[in-house]
Amino acid sequence: MQTLIRNATLLTMDGPDGALPFAGDILIDGATITAIGKNLAAAPDARIIEGQGKLVMPGLINAHTHSSETFLRGRYKNMPLEVWLLYAYPLLMGPAIAPRLLYLRTLLLAMESLRNGVTTLCDDFFDPPAHDLERLGTVFRAYRDAGIRANVSSAVMNVHTLDALPYAREVLPQALQDKLDFGPPVSAQTYVDYCRSAFSSLHGMAGRLNFMIAPSAPQRCTPDLLVACHDLALKMRVPLHTHVLETKTQAITGHLMFGKTLVACMHELGVLGRNTTIAHSVWVTDEDMELMGAAGCSIAHNAVSNQKLGAGIAPIRRLMDAGVTVALGTDGVSSNDTARIFDVMRVAGLIHSASGPDYATWIPAADILRMATINGARSAMLEDATGSLAVGKAADLIVIDLDTYAFMPLNDIDKHLVFSENGSSIEMVMVAGEIVMRDGRLTTVDETAIFAEIRETVPAFLAEHAELERLNSVFDPYFAEIHRRASQENLGFNRYAGDEPPWNFSNWR
């Protein structure tokens, strides 16, 4: 079936027009854009969508999130990452979440994403204590049913938590260390075999769902696991998706445990490359940025999450200048509290203007839009399929009403999108040529029924999680001490806002 969107304002993020809007039509045949221009002709039975007063642009791409956190929205504040992890990802674990709740948790993230213009997300799915193909399939099925495009991982780590943190073995009492017996770690071969099974059974589902490989972080994985993951990612042409240098504690980890930065470790292992997507990249050095740019890797900039968890401000302009592809991510809903990329765009568009007085280096709105669209596609290894409006690409797009407060009066569309819009002006969302949201309602999911089921079933899960939080709170003062010690170290550079503050020890728990 053909669809013709006519007489619209187009923002293709592709070719010579890039982030410059122009008037025109888009012709879609099935899942694919077949023509962009003026006065396009369509088949007699084509679906016609009038675009007068509307903006048509590529769907947004969430380059880094965690569906595991979706039920923990609005639960935590004033916790640095190392402390927050105790509660959002408890060390003392309970039973795995029930399959139906796993499905609902994933579906809810997809629903919120689509309603807010995200047509592609990269879900760094983490489901301890084991890798289970059926549970991973549940996540895939939720995304299939919602109608979104997604890369999904089954994140892995095989280094003990206490051996991936500086000072941990000397800070924690032995009795608490003894509580953290996780059994034998997964081997590189076992994880690679699991990934091969995921590729053979789930990769390519519905033509828009892919499996990606996600070693959690270089300090949390053995070198042989990192290399095996990288080799398989290259072979399968998918991202190697990992977390690197989100916090100062992680920066200290590299120096104390390896005598070099974590990026330098990755470089020496040969796992920095075009396939590599690094979430966060806050505490990177000048040398790190040079290595990353030379390797052609990407980062997912989580501008909101980094501020909520107090991680610091990533040096985005310098990363861009080094040749690193910068995409945008929300991170998990627990460390952001929404799945809206429009929020991340606004924060990223504002916070980097505080980097210094040289306003020629501040990041313009057009670059923020690229991060949210085509750069996001590149970070997901999907730039040939999505991220821009171009002939031959999938019809992943959003239609925005320009007759709203966010665009009244209309000046420069890129600035309106980054600084004024929050997703409320979206009228329609299309993924692979299918309309998945129109006139404020999802077409693939009964939102009322899903919300009712979540209200009915999730409180019992949250009560169980509260008990896990209570059990894990015993570790809180020791992980706070790890954070304190790392924060006092001098790295020779600072990523916190303003000058590094003097510590008031009386304020520490």
Side-chain angles (χ1 to χ4, degrees), residues 136 182 215 268 311 353 357 382 461 495:
L136 181 63
F182 303 128
E268 290 188 5
S353 299
L382 293 173
F461 162 78
R495 296 284 182 251

Side-chain angles (χ1 to χ4, degrees), residues 497-508:
D499 296 330
E500 217 165 351
W503 293 109
N504 181 351
F505 292 96
S506 64
N507 289 337
W508 287 90

Side-chain angles (χ1 to χ4, degrees), residues 314-335:
I316 294 301
R317 166 53 68 188
R318 291 160 68 191
L319 284 158
M320 293 168 62
D321 290 346
V324 177
T325 297
V326 178
L328 297 180
T330 59
D331 213 349
V333 169
S334 173
S335 64

Side-chain angles (χ1 to χ4, degrees), residues 64 66 81 84 216 220 241-247 250 277-284 292 298-303 305-306 309 311-316 319 326-327 329-332 335:
H64 180 70
H66 301 278
L81 175 79
W84 168 83
S216 177
R220 300 174 190 148
H241 194 101
T242 189
H243 301 73
V244 185
L245 293 170
E246 180 176 359
T247 66
Q250 294 175 8
T277 294
I278 289 173
H280 303 296
S281 186
V282 177
W283 290 85
V284 286
M292 294 161 66
S298 302
I299 72 157
H301 177 36
N302 301 278
S305 171
N306 289 159
L309 296 177
I313 302 174
I316 294 301
L319 284 158
V326 178
T330 59
D331 213 349
S335 64

Side-chain angles (χ1 to χ4, degrees), residues 115-188:
R115 284 187 63 91
N116 289 282
V118 171
T119 55
T120 301
L121 59 81
C122 295
D123 180 6
D124 191 14
F125 170 59
F126 183 63
D127 188 43
H131 297 280
D132 185 302
L133 206 58
E134 179 57 34
R135 291 176 64 80
L136 181 63
T138 298
V139 173
F140 270 75
R141 287 188 289 275
Y143 288 137
R144 178 199 63 193
D145 295 348
I148 202 167
R149 189 180 302 278
N151 284 353
V152 186
S153 78
S154 184
V156 65
M157 58 181 71
N158 68 342
V159 171
H160 194 290
T161 299
L162 299 184
D163 295 323
L165 280 169
Y167 322 116
R169 291 292 185 186
E170 63 184 88
V171 166
L172 262 75
Q174 189 61 49
L176 287 184
Q177 294 189 40
D178 292 342
K179 287 179 176 287
L180 303 178
D181 181 8
F182 303 128
V186 64
S187 69

Side-chain angles (χ1 to χ4, degrees), residues 21 33 87 100 138 146 152 154 168 199 275 336 338 344 362 399 402:
I33 297 171
Y87 300 98
R100 180 60 183 173
T138 298
V152 186
S154 184
F199 281 120
N275 292 57
N336 183 310
T338 85
V344 182
W362 296 354
V399 178
L402 294 177

